[in-house]
Amino acid sequence: MNQDVNESLARSFGLSAEEYGRVLSIMGRTPSFTELGVFSVMWSEHCSYKSSRVWLKQLPTKAPWVIHGPGENAGVVDIGDGLAAIFKMESHNHPSFIEPYQGAATGVGGILRDVFTMGARPIANLNALRFGRPENPVTKRVVDGVVRGIGGYGNCVGVPTVGGEINFHPAYDGNPLVNAMTVGIARKDKIFLSAAAGIGNPVVYVGSKTGRDGIHGATMASTEFSADSEDKRPTVQVGDPFTEKLLIEACLELMATDAIVAIQDMGAAGLTSSAVEMAGKGNVGIELDLDQVPARETGMTAYEFMLSESQERMLMVLRPDREQLARDIFAKWDLDFSIIGRITDTGRIVVRHHGIVEADIPLAPLNDQAPLYTRPTVDTPKQEKLNPARIEDRYGLTAALEKLVGCPDLCSRAWVWDQYDSTVGGQTVKRPGAADAAVVKLEGLKRALALTTDCTPRYCLADPETGGAQAVAEAWRNLTAVGARPLAITDNMNFGNPEKPEIMGQFAAAIRGMAAACEALDFPVVSGNVSLYNETEGKAILPTPAIGGLGVLDDAAQAVGLALPPWLDIVLIGATTGWLGQSIWLREIAGREDGAPPPVDLAVERANGDFVRTYILNGTIRACHDVSDGGVLVALAEMAMASGIGARMMAHPRDIPGHAFWFGEDQARYLVAVPDHVSFTRIAEAAGIPAMRLGTSGGQNLTLPDGGTISISTLRAAHERFFPSWMDGVNS
Amino acid sequence: MKAGIVIFPGINRERDMVIALEASFGVKPKMVWHKDTDVSGLDLIVIPGGFSFGDYLRCGAMAAQSPIMRAVRDHANKGGYVLGVCNGFQILTEAGILPGALLRNASLRFLSMDCHLRVDRADTAFTRHYRQGQTFRSVMAHGDGNYFADTATLDRLEGNNLVALRYATKSGEVTPEVNLNGSARSIAGILSPNLRVLGLMPHPEDLVDPMMGGADGKPLFDALAAA
């Protein structure tokens, strides 16, 4: 490539003038075109975390059960029985707007590779999705493509998709969020890391061939969107789940031997980032000969090879005496296997193509002198606490409930789940919708993992610190509500343009809230991903720190779901003040999106949750559902719809207006079904846990204290209508 | 009865099948790679679900050309037992071992959900632990489960009583509403004329343990173990 390398080219690659100056001083000369490409992707926001690193450091990352925290391909926690859970969540937001099917599919593929590259067999996928207004015609196309893409990839690789969440809001109209999470299992003494070692060891490329797809994808993910984003479609990669499946099986087969020294998938920034990171972490050098890279197209340049984001590719450093063994395994699975370089002691990455040195960069400064910004922040102004007595209820409980269970944010997600294979593997104990967290058993053992994703973006917009804490607390609560012991989280920080102080202020505050919650709940962050510049035409998304939570159950048989059994007492755990600020009721029924969000008292959160878990595990609690969006009455309706069993509810305390009691969103609350409320509330009282009997289950209707009655079948019809009628024109 | 599972690249429900077979047979099945040609010593060959070769061509079309399929065909011709589930059923039809074809679901969407199957033929090695006409719950997980054959073939299958399973309501009624993938005559599973080969779309192997939501599929494997 004979293009002149200068500051203006550097800018078009996404580097600032100051950053380009730093490149010049590191190189001591004008970099080559390929070298500039390497710097620009390694120093992109997506790869370098240059705006977020200073804040991420505040998050707690340690606990006795944490084996590897942030910094590896995924987080690793000890789950007992000599096993480790390896998990991470990652965004594929920008590609999923440009090309929803492939964007979402390759998002799933990428996160799977992050997990199996560490030696784990993937056992579950989840995904946290945010879309624009349903009325926006673009939204329908995006939802359809994203759902098909997640299913198309996950179903084919044979990893069950067991959970996730979906929100709609106009703020995502031009910038949907697709956050994919994978959980895998490995023996804890067989974890594979990425630090290269062994001077002279072969560097091996396996998987799909390299094409021109996805070049500069990492840079694209580091800028705002504009009206011409359609033109960026060629930067979206194309997924091949069949090759991914072969890669999983071949890598796991090779990992059962002692051949691998280090391994890393080629994700964002492709061969560049995997080679630079592996050699950098190992404090060695690396030499690559691009003539040996399997190519899908002819005439590719060094720049294109280094920046391609073709999917389903891995880079490994092997023991030289195990080369043939490895070659045979990949031949069996019909995958490309090519020695493309060697580990050196130079501390440099040297890239040759057609015998010419196209790049020769010292690794230490490329990594250590990567830009790091403490960008200015502005705090989000606090909103006032709303007085529920001054918010009139013109709707009544029954009508409001029917409307709420049918609104896009609360309606049944079955239309979506029904397109994801949730049972492959034969270990899914609680499928989507059956419980607050998915429960997946470990093959051949009693032990099970509980998995969830959570975030309430409207709380985060109103008060990012409270919202950050709430997201972590809700994940902890959802794991607790199935009886699991919460262990750790992965975080996927989706925000707008960090160069705007208001956005950076949201980010910093959300981190503060998350850190406090992680600390108080012994629930550290072990992996994560930051996605910034989620803006289109200057309009930012809601701040969305999506949390993926993982917990463990010693015995899968102890897990409880949310389906309401008949003839039990229904007890509300946790204190109720009738908090309507930022509630779904306020938005959907009163047409307002204001007020402070419900506060999160972490000590109360912990006490209430620990109490609930204890009485799930000893068999007292037969069904459990956390109270979140829509408050107590929506939670109750969800329990009733899950089983088809109704309930008769008692009068609420007189000091709280009815609509605020039943639809308010006070935190740290659970609805539980127990055989005997008298003894149960007495135990709770003695433990200092607020517990209030709300009613008794049975029959086929929900009977409310204001005299209103609604049948479960009417609720179900309202609940199940939205997606099929919106997406497929099916009227129920 | 000694069982083996054929593995094609892209098959992904072999672990589920191992668990189900082991639970009923008491021993682990033998795993057979698709490039092998030897199935001697096996009484039952199982082709499990998944996406063989990615199903990038027609579902099962590539796998049907694999070396192992000649051995499977010989095994079937000699009266050996063959069970094909989901992709396995698609492969059996592509290989001509069972008639018909599996087309895209009528909804053009992947379907992952419980269904009920009515046992229309209970006097076979696969189904004799069910009662004639009873229904059992199973899991479907497929994008291409819409059974199709020409009218003459369908008439012949029905005339010879070779339709083993149909999609039905819980109480056994065969209605269009529960025939979600649009299969001809609600066919979920069919038999070879000698009753030794069964192909079906839903996954009995995923409901063999109450902890996973039910054990309605277990009688099928128990029956095979006792055959």
Side-chain angles (χ1 to χ4, degrees):
Chain A
M1 198 115 1
N2 289 323
Q3 203 166 342
D4 277 347
V5 174
N6 52 35
E7 190 182 310
S8 114
L9 183 70
R11 264 186 224 225
S12 76
F13 278 18
L15 291 172
S16 70
E18 189 274 327
E19 288 167 351
Y20 181 61
R22 202 181 291 200
V23 172
L24 289 177
S25 90
I26 289 172
M27 295 302 293
R29 59 175 164 81
T30 302
S32 71
F33 192 82
T34 303
E35 287 167 340
L36 185 68
V38 169
F39 273 100
S40 70
V41 292
M42 289 309 297
W43 288 4
S44 69
E45 187 67 57
H46 192 80
C47 290
S48 73
Y49 293 82
K50 56 191 170 191
S51 302
S52 58
R53 247 151 67 212
V54 291
W55 302 104
L56 295 172
K57 278 190 220 149
Q58 295 179 13
L59 293 169
T61 59
K62 292 194 167 61
W65 51 88
V66 174
I67 298 174
H68 291 290
E72 290 299 333
N73 283 303
V76 184
V77 294
D78 189 336
I79 54 168
D81 291 329
L83 297 173
I86 301 184
F87 70 110
K88 186 179 176 184
M89 179 153 49
E90 198 164 73
S91 62
H92 232 213
N93 304 336
H94 298 82
S96 297
F97 183 60
I98 298 171
E99 169 51 51
Y101 184 99
Q102 293 298 344
T106 55
V108 173
I111 194 62
L112 279 163
R113 284 191 296 285
D114 275 333
V115 166
F116 74 75
T117 194
M118 296 191 75
R121 176 172 286 280
I123 64 160
N125 282 331
L126 297 91
N127 46 77
L129 310 176
R130 322 279 165 190
F131 299 114
R133 286 166 301 146
E135 305 78 47
N136 181 350
V138 175
T139 306
K140 195 165 156 176
R141 176 184 71 90
V142 173
V143 170
D144 185 64
V146 165
V147 170
R148 284 182 192 275
I150 290 171
Y153 207 99
N155 298 345
C156 184
V157 293
V159 176
T161 301
V162 296
E165 56 179 340
I166 299 171
N167 289 144
F168 295 92
H169 194 278
Y172 303 108
D173 270 352
N175 197 128
L177 302 184
V178 174
N179 297 171
M181 169 170 163
T182 292
V183 183
I185 296 294
R187 268 176 47 193
K188 73 175 186 188
D189 58 355
K190 275 289 235 180
I191 309 285
F192 290 82
L193 303 180
S194 56
I199 308 307
N201 275 350
V203 175
V204 176
Y205 170 116
V206 296
S208 288
K209 296 186 197 311
T210 298
R212 288 191 170 98
D213 46 336
I215 291 173
H216 263 302
T219 313
M220 175 183 79
S222 307
T223 51
E224 285 184 34
F225 265 14
S226 54
D228 65 354
S229 291
E230 287 285 304
D231 301 342
K232 293 186 176 165
R233 191 166 291 165
T235 57
V236 178
Q237 314 86 331
V238 176
D240 175 0
F242 172 58
T243 298
E244 179 101 335
K245 169 69 173 162
L246 302 185
L247 207 49
I248 294 175
E249 299 303 332
C251 286
L252 291 178
E253 198 171 322
L254 184 61
M255 284 162 168
T257 73
D258 60 355
I260 298 174
V261 176
I263 179 165
Q264 168 136 349
D265 69 301
M266 292 188 227
L271 187 53
T272 293
S273 73
S274 52
V276 166
E277 284 174 20
M278 289 177 81
K281 281 185 186 170
N283 291 314
V284 293
I286 191 166
E287 257 180 33
L288 300 177
D289 177 5
L290 299 181
D291 299 331
Q292 305 306 317
V293 173
R296 195 192 300 151
E297 305 171 44
T298 55
M300 286 181 64
T301 64
Y303 169 84
E304 289 168 334
F305 272 115
M306 291 306 288
L307 267 66
S308 163
E309 292 189 5
S310 291
Q311 298 288 292
E312 293 91 24
R313 303 178 301 159
M314 312 282 278
L315 199 63
M316 309 186 296
V317 177
L318 291 183
R319 282 177 49 169
D321 56 338
R322 295 292 188 272
E323 217 177 281
Q324 192 56 45
L325 170 90
R327 201 180 277 281
D328 290 346
I329 289 173
F330 283 88
K332 171 187 160 185
W333 291 100
D334 295 322
L335 291 168
D336 271 306
F337 176 102
S338 180
I339 295 177
I340 64 164
R342 301 272 159 200
I343 297 302
T344 67
D345 61 0
T346 61
R348 304 177 75 84
I349 177 167
V350 178
V351 179
R352 287 189 180 79
H353 191 216
H354 301 324
I356 297 165
V357 174
E358 294 282 357
D360 183 354
I361 304 171
L363 287 164
L366 175 59
N367 288 317
D368 305 344
Q369 292 180 39
L372 180 62
Y373 299 126
T374 307
R375 297 192 187 274
T377 62
V378 167
D379 286 343
T380 303
K382 294 275 184 213
Q383 300 214 31
E384 247 175 86
K385 180 182 168 181
L386 301 184
N387 178 354
R390 295 171 65 177
I391 301 168
E392 202 186 342
D393 174 21
R394 298 194 185 138
Y395 230 77
L397 297 182
T398 322
L401 177 62
E402 189 175 343
K403 183 167 184 200
L404 287 181
V405 298
C407 78
D409 267 357
L410 294 179
C411 71
S412 168
R413 272 74 179 113
W415 180 90
V416 176
W417 303 326
D418 287 352
Q419 299 183 57
Y420 301 154
D421 190 340
S422 57
T423 53
V424 60
Q427 303 298 313
T428 308
V429 177
K430 298 289 180 202
R431 296 189 209 168
D436 282 344
V439 177
V440 180
K441 202 174 80 64
L442 305 184
E443 210 178 295
L445 299 172
K446 282 181 155 184
R447 196 172 295 277
L449 297 182
L451 308 165
T452 181
T453 72
D454 294 286
C455 182
T456 313
R458 62 182 191 278
Y459 294 175
C460 296
L461 181 71
D463 181 343
E465 183 165 353
T466 297
Q470 194 274 342
V472 174
E474 188 172 350
W476 188 87
R477 203 182 305 148
N478 279 327
L479 300 176
T480 295
V482 300
R485 195 165 70 249
L487 292 182
I489 62 171
T490 178
D491 61 354
N492 202 147
M493 309 292 290
N494 307 276
F495 289 77
N497 182 346
E499 295 160 41
K500 297 179 183 168
E502 302 75 32
I503 300 290
M504 211 58 230
Q506 291 174 342
F507 189 90
I511 292 275
R512 267 200 309 279
M514 288 165 57
C518 291
E519 198 71 56
L521 301 171
D522 272 330
F523 201 34
V525 178
V526 295
S527 59
N529 168 244
V530 178
S531 171
L532 301 175
Y533 297 96
N534 287 291
E535 303 204 359
T536 299
E537 308 280 315
K539 278 175 64 186
I541 58 160
L542 303 186
T544 311
I547 303 299
L550 178 141
V552 68
L553 281 141
D554 294 333
D555 183 352
Q558 291 179 311
V560 298
L562 57 80
L564 186 63
W567 318 123
L568 292 178
D569 289 332
I570 299 163
V571 174
L572 174 65
I573 298 290
T576 299
T577 68
W579 196 283
L580 287 179
Q582 297 300 335
S583 67
I584 292 259
W585 183 91
L586 192 69
R587 189 182 77 192
E588 298 291 325
I589 305 296
R592 294 169 52 176
E593 295 186 57
D594 62 336
V600 178
D601 183 325
L602 294 164
V604 167
E605 188 73 60
R606 173 128 202 184
N608 292 0
D610 287 347
F611 177 82
V612 166
R613 189 181 317 102
T614 302
Y615 288 90
I616 289 173
L617 295 180
N618 80 2
T620 306
I621 294 174
R622 309 291 165 82
C624 181
H625 190 15
D626 84 310
V627 178
S628 55
D629 286 349
V632 171
L633 207 46
V634 166
L636 179 73
E638 287 168 347
M639 295 176 80
M641 287 186 287
S643 67
I645 303 292
R648 178 175 290 274
M649 307 311 280
M650 303 172 4
H652 63 274
R654 286 168 173 235
D655 55 338
I656 302 172
H659 57 293
F661 179 84
W662 293 105
F663 296 115
E665 297 182 4
D666 293 284
Q667 296 294 296
R669 296 186 301 163
Y670 303 79
L671 273 185
V672 301
V674 295
D676 173 15
H677 72 91
V678 178
S679 64
F680 185 70
T681 48
R682 195 179 298 139
I683 297 166
E685 208 169 290
I689 304 296
M692 180 195 300
R693 182 192 181 197
L694 289 187
T696 309
S697 66
Q700 290 168 350
N701 302 307
L702 276 190
T703 305
L704 303 178
D706 67 353
T709 287
I710 186 165
S711 72
I712 306 304
S713 57
T714 303
L715 278 173
R716 274 183 175 166
H719 192 50
E720 291 165 6
R721 189 174 301 128
F722 171 72
F723 269 104
S725 72
W726 179 48
M727 294 301 299
D728 293 335
V730 177
N731 296 309
S732 58
Chain B
M1 171 90 70
K2 190 162 169 24
I5 297 179
V6 180
I7 306 295
F8 299 93
I11 284 294
N12 64 28
R13 258 185 166 81
E14 74 280 10
R15 300 163 78 82
D16 317 37
M17 193 59 81
V18 170
I19 292 167
L21 286 170
E22 193 179 1
S24 292
F25 285 57
V27 291
K28 273 201 194 306
K30 185 181 175 199
M31 306 307 266
V32 184
W33 183 237
H34 74 112
K35 288 177 184 168
D36 292 345
T37 51
D38 180 16
V39 294
S40 57
L42 295 180
D43 304 300
L44 166 68
I45 297 176
V46 180
I47 309 180
F51 289 74
S52 53
F53 299 92
D55 281 344
Y56 291 156
L57 193 54
R58 278 189 324 273
C59 296
M62 296 278 289
Q65 306 303 319
S66 259
I68 190 67
M69 286 312 291
R70 180 188 297 264
V72 174
R73 196 176 287 108
D74 290 347
H75 175 84
N77 287 340
K78 282 188 285 188
Y81 292 106
V82 179
L83 171 64
V85 176
C86 199
N87 201 207
F89 184 18
Q90 294 163 344
I91 293 167
L92 290 178
T93 61
E94 283 290 339
I97 295 172
L98 288 173
L102 282 311
L103 310 182
R104 292 296 306 280
N105 293 341
S107 64
L108 303 182
R109 294 191 183 278
F110 194 92
L111 291 171
S112 166
M113 58 190 68
D114 281 353
C115 59
H116 283 91
L117 300 177
R118 191 180 72 192
V119 180
D120 277 10
R121 179 104 200 227
D123 62 341
T124 76
F126 302 94
T127 54
R128 63 202 166 78
H129 284 199
Y130 299 109
R131 291 184 320 279
Q132 181 76 22
Q134 97 164 76
T135 61
F136 68 92
R137 196 155 63 88
S138 193
V139 174
M140 63 162 93
H142 57 245
D144 301 75
N146 180 354
Y147 184 74
F148 175 84
D150 59 35
T151 305
T153 305
L154 293 170
D155 288 346
R156 186 170 49 78
L157 282 170
E158 291 190 319
N160 295 336
N161 200 10
L162 298 176
V163 177
L165 303 164
R166 286 184 216 261
Y167 301 105
T169 63
K170 195 175 179 180
S171 54
E173 293 140 295
V174 171
T175 67
E177 290 75 31
V178 293
N179 181 21
L180 294 171
N181 56 28
S183 287
R185 302 184 191 180
S186 291
I187 289 173
I190 56 171
L191 294 152
S192 61
N194 70 357
L195 309 182
R196 296 294 184 98
V197 181
L198 172 67
L200 76 163
M201 283 311 298
H203 295 279
E205 74 276 19
D206 279 323
L207 282 180
V208 295
D209 179 347
M211 194 184 288
M212 309 308 155
D216 275 19
K218 192 155 193 311
L220 188 143
F221 299 97
D222 288 345
L224 281 169

